[in-house]
Amino acid sequence: SSDECSSDLLTIFRIHKTMDRPSCDSTKTICVEERVKKRVHFVSEDDVFIIERYADMMTDGEKASLWYTRQDDIRIQRSISKTIRNVQNNTDAKHRCIRGLEHMISPEYSEQRNTNIDFVRISVLREQRKQQMLGIYDQDEMRKKSLSASEWARYIALEQGAADEKIAIKRHHLMEISRAT
């Protein structure tokens, strides 16, 4: 567990070579047809690469510029709370971005989102169970089930992306006007 590791230990990754599978090209990518039936197997030969932890390779200045401090976190949480209150009270909502906070603003939105995610998951699991009962493995059919069940997510993402683009273009245009004056 991570509690047992001290800060001066190195992170070790094991990479198992599987030489028994042919590849499609010289880059060792496996053909789709070869992944039809997945198996777990253990290889006796390991290549061990020792990779230093990021924290051990960085200067204190680099660390400070990359990670949030406790004060940054408190400021961010206060800003999120203020945004949520403003949107819920319909005050100053147009000057705040709520992207990624929708689930915090409305319990109904959060519940609907979770229901939609569960629907996708259940659709794929049902198809997988059906295929197991028939003794087949058709990744393409599972992909189709996932695509069909998640159509709502693509639609919402496209709508939100288009709205974000309009706002970004407007802000960019306003910045250009202010620079010109």
Side-chain angles (χ1 to χ4, degrees), residues 4-106:
E4 298 171 332
C5 295
S6 65
S7 61
D8 59 332
L9 290 178
L10 299 175
T11 306
I12 298 176
F13 293 95
R14 287 190 182 267
I15 300 179
H16 301 283
K17 287 186 178 177
T18 53
M19 303 303 277
D20 55 333
R21 293 185 294 191
S23 61
C24 293
D25 56 28
S26 61
T27 60
K28 304 282 185 196
T29 56
I30 305 302
C31 295
V32 173
E33 296 81 28
E34 294 175 31
R35 287 189 276 157
V36 172
K37 190 150 190 158
K38 295 184 178 182
R39 291 178 273 148
V40 175
H41 64 279
F42 298 93
V43 178
S44 60
E45 295 179 26
D46 293 336
D47 286 344
V48 178
F49 295 88
I50 299 174
I51 302 170
E52 286 187 74
R53 295 177 339 113
Y54 285 118
D56 296 338
M57 297 186 303
M58 301 171 115
T59 67
D60 289 339
E62 290 171 326
K63 291 176 193 176
S65 67
L66 288 177
W67 284 291
Y68 292 124
T69 64
R70 182 173 299 282
Q71 293 83 6
D72 291 334
D73 190 42
I74 292 168
R75 184 180 44 78
I76 291 167
Q77 293 304 319
R78 284 183 182 156
S79 177
I80 289 171
S81 296
K82 185 177 179 181
T83 298
I84 291 169
R85 278 192 311 275
N86 286 345
V87 171
Q88 288 173 336
N89 297 331
N90 264 347
T91 58
D92 195 35
K94 290 188 178 194
H95 300 292
R96 295 192 162 270
C97 177
I98 63 164
R99 187 67 63 238
L101 303 177
E102 297 91 348
H103 66 286
M104 299 171 100
I105 292 170
S106 164

Side-chain angles (χ1 to χ4, degrees), residues 99 158-174:
R99 187 67 63 238
L158 287 170
E159 290 291 314
Q160 288 176 343
D164 288 350
E165 179 186 30
K166 286 179 185 176
I167 292 169
I169 289 170
K170 183 178 178 181
R171 285 184 182 166
H172 180 73
H173 181 68
L174 291 174

Side-chain angles (χ1 to χ4, degrees), residues 127-172:
E127 178 61 27
Q128 187 180 35
R129 190 176 311 120
K130 179 180 115 181
Q131 288 183 18
Q132 285 173 344
M133 289 172 59
L134 296 173
I136 60 173
Y137 181 73
D138 186 351
Q139 275 185 323
D140 193 48
E141 192 59 34
M142 280 191 263
R143 182 186 63 79
K144 288 177 186 174
K145 292 290 183 186
S146 177
L147 281 170
S148 174
S150 63
E151 190 172 340
W152 59 272
R154 284 187 301 285
Y155 175 77
I156 289 171
L158 287 170
E159 290 291 314
Q160 288 176 343
D164 288 350
E165 179 186 30
K166 286 179 185 176
I167 292 169
I169 289 170
K170 183 178 178 181
R171 285 184 182 166
H172 180 73

